[in-house]
Amino acid sequence: MHPHNQAPELKDYNLYTSDPALRRAVQHHGAQWRDAELLRQGAAYGAEATLRAAEDANQFEPVLHTHSRGGDRIDEVRFHPAWHQMMTMARASGIANLPFADARASVWPAYGASLYMHSQIESGSTCPTTMTKASIPVLQLNTALYAALQPKLLSTAYDARDIPLAEKQSITIGMGMTERQGGSDLRTNTTRAQPTGVSGDWGEEYLITGQKWFFSAPMCDGHLVLAQTGEGRATCFFVPRWRPDGSKNAVFIQRLKDKVGNRSNSSSEVEFHEAWGVRVGDEGRGIPTIIEMATYTRLDCALSSAGFMRQGFAQALFYTRNRHAFGKALAEQPAMTTLLADMALESEAATLLAMDLAARFGSDEPLDQAWRRIVTPVAKFWNCKRAVGFAGEAMETFGGNGYVETGPMGRLFREAPVNSIWEGSGNVMCLDVLRALARRQDDMHLLLDHLRDTATQEPRLLAQVEQLRASSSQPPQALEREARRFTQRLALLVQSCLMLGQASSEMASAFIVSRWDPDWGPVLGAACGTDRPEALLRAAWVD
């Protein structure tokens, strides 16, 4: 025990072996072939040297240099070496490409486990890395372009050099969708694409003029960008940082966003001044084309937020076991024990929801397709929304020690909201759930029939299945005002069924008892569904 009753730092631990829920999920979804690599990654992510690099990447933030000493436009963002160290780890872990480099269906939960762990330690580097992964199925729509880029996309090496595509060992890909006047309403985009009349190796070439209000990771080697080829004809384009002739493309970085969190990652505002690009996908179908990319990154948001919750729980449990008050460790104080047990339930259910969704991406079965269409926005909404309040509770377990920048909780607290905003805010996700119901009613019936098979074990869940079935038959306009309530109930039902099928009987029972109690909801720790909260903590952490 520290002479001044200060808890030590949580370091030099294995994120994988200490997380029984994650290990069970990997096993359950048939990804145990990745176990040795995940063990290696878990130790590397928990090592003190990695924790220091993650801190440095966020303390020493990227800096924009618009011009060279001689006055030439360079639009270069420079990073601390720790950023490149984190990007190297992310790339080596397969976060940039694993699902498209391995043909096994279970590759998706294997990928999910790596992203979940990386997000716990340094989240900014996941942005350009997961966007690179998500760009692959979109880039495949341009066969010639993808053939040229494929080896660089599938490489597990990280190449930080700011040089033309042809000279790179590996590349990263970003996204440019939203504009100042429209945000999520992409139909209002005004950026224009003018054909040059030249058809090159990658298809018809265009010159793009306009602006993007959020241009993610401007030092990526290329971006997928929305631009209008005519009135109401939004089209997707690949816009590289360097033109094929080796000259810098006319993408001018106006400034970096001064964000609340995610400080290591550079997000920017840009202008295109006849920037060179080539079309990806059909003309006039740019929004559904680029939304395909967003489907994958929404999965990543759900995985990453589950990682945030796991890290918050791990930090809170470790701290309260090593800090004493009134003759006991904080974790042994009844109110704290109940809170920690409730956090353990919340974290495990979030992990199972995200990992199960990831596993559905590796299948073309009708149920899995329906699950992806409906549960992707559900999981993105619920995990990301819950992570924000969860981070605050985790910080509070530290008392004043959680509210200082020398500890781990400030960065986690600032990081948590980004996933809830990025790739569509909470309301957008809930409306996307309703849109999915409107397009394919049969999908909802398929999903609810599957959930009913599990819910027969628990009358409370069976009642929820039938209530949701009745609600889902209403016209979307009638449901819209209650979109959040409907999505919350569906999220809790899916989590409850997953806990029944994959968690221990004690964890599953406690989750269902607490989450379907009429008093549940306002704060974590009001109840945890059992009179044996210590048992839940033993089940949630392996030393």
Side-chain angles (χ1 to χ4, degrees), residues 151-409:
K152 304 172 193 297
L153 289 165
L154 298 186
S155 171
T156 56
Y158 169 63
D159 188 342
R161 295 175 297 168
D162 183 22
I163 54 178
L165 286 170
E167 303 172 36
K168 297 276 301 224
Q169 180 181 2
S170 68
I171 58 174
T172 55
I173 305 295
M175 183 191 303
M177 289 198 296
T178 59
E179 297 182 7
R180 182 166 44 183
Q181 73 284 348
S184 297
D185 188 357
L186 301 176
R187 296 168 300 176
T188 66
N189 281 11
T190 60
T191 297
R192 312 294 295 185
Q194 183 69 33
T196 64
V198 174
S199 185
D201 293 339
W202 300 342
E204 189 176 5
E205 300 176 359
Y206 290 76
L207 296 179
I208 298 169
T209 300
Q211 49 88 18
K212 295 297 172 185
W213 188 237
F214 276 92
F215 195 68
S216 299
M219 290 305 290
C220 285
D221 299 288
H223 286 78
L224 290 170
V225 170
L226 277 182
Q228 302 281 359
T229 57
E231 188 64 34
R233 296 188 64 76
T235 303
C236 182
F237 295 91
F238 174 69
V239 180
R241 180 165 166 79
W242 296 86
R243 293 172 181 251
D245 64 7
S247 63
K248 183 188 171 298
N249 209 356
V251 180
F252 300 140
I253 305 173
Q254 301 306 300
R255 61 176 176 174
L256 300 185
K257 296 289 192 181
D258 188 9
K259 295 173 294 184
V260 171
N262 209 246
R263 307 289 293 188
S264 65
N265 176 45
S266 60
S267 301
S268 64
E269 300 165 20
V270 301
E271 290 182 359
F272 307 114
H273 293 187
E274 295 192 337
W276 184 94
V278 291
R279 180 167 54 83
V280 176
D282 294 334
E283 185 176 357
R285 296 286 297 166
I287 293 176
T289 297
I290 208 165
I291 288 297
E292 174 74 7
M293 184 176 179
T295 298
Y296 291 101
T297 51
R298 287 173 177 178
L299 165 65
D300 297 336
C301 289
L303 287 161
S304 175
S305 288
F308 291 167
M309 284 188 263
R310 177 62 190 184
Q311 181 62 197
F313 169 72
Q315 292 287 349
L317 182 64
F318 186 79
Y319 184 86
T320 56
R321 282 178 169 175
N322 288 279
R323 174 85 166 175
H324 293 73
F326 309 109
K328 292 181 180 179
L330 291 178
E332 297 171 0
Q333 305 287 351
M336 183 65 78
T337 307
T338 301
L339 170 61
L340 293 168
D342 202 24
M343 293 173 73
L345 292 174
E346 188 79 13
S347 174
E348 178 156 350
T351 300
L352 296 186
L353 177 60
M355 289 291 287
D356 186 86
L357 178 60
R360 308 282 178 171
F361 275 70
S363 167
D364 290 327
E365 292 296 318
L367 172 63
D368 296 318
Q369 291 182 335
W371 195 286
R372 287 199 303 271
R373 285 190 282 263
I374 297 172
V375 179
T376 298
V378 169
K380 200 275 191 188
F381 168 76
W382 189 244
N383 275 7
C384 299
K385 191 66 66 180
R386 298 296 291 170
V388 178
F390 194 102
E393 290 287 358
M395 174 186 279
E396 195 172 325
T397 64
F398 281 62
N401 287 336
Y403 202 64
V404 293
E405 292 292 356
T406 51
M409 304 312 296

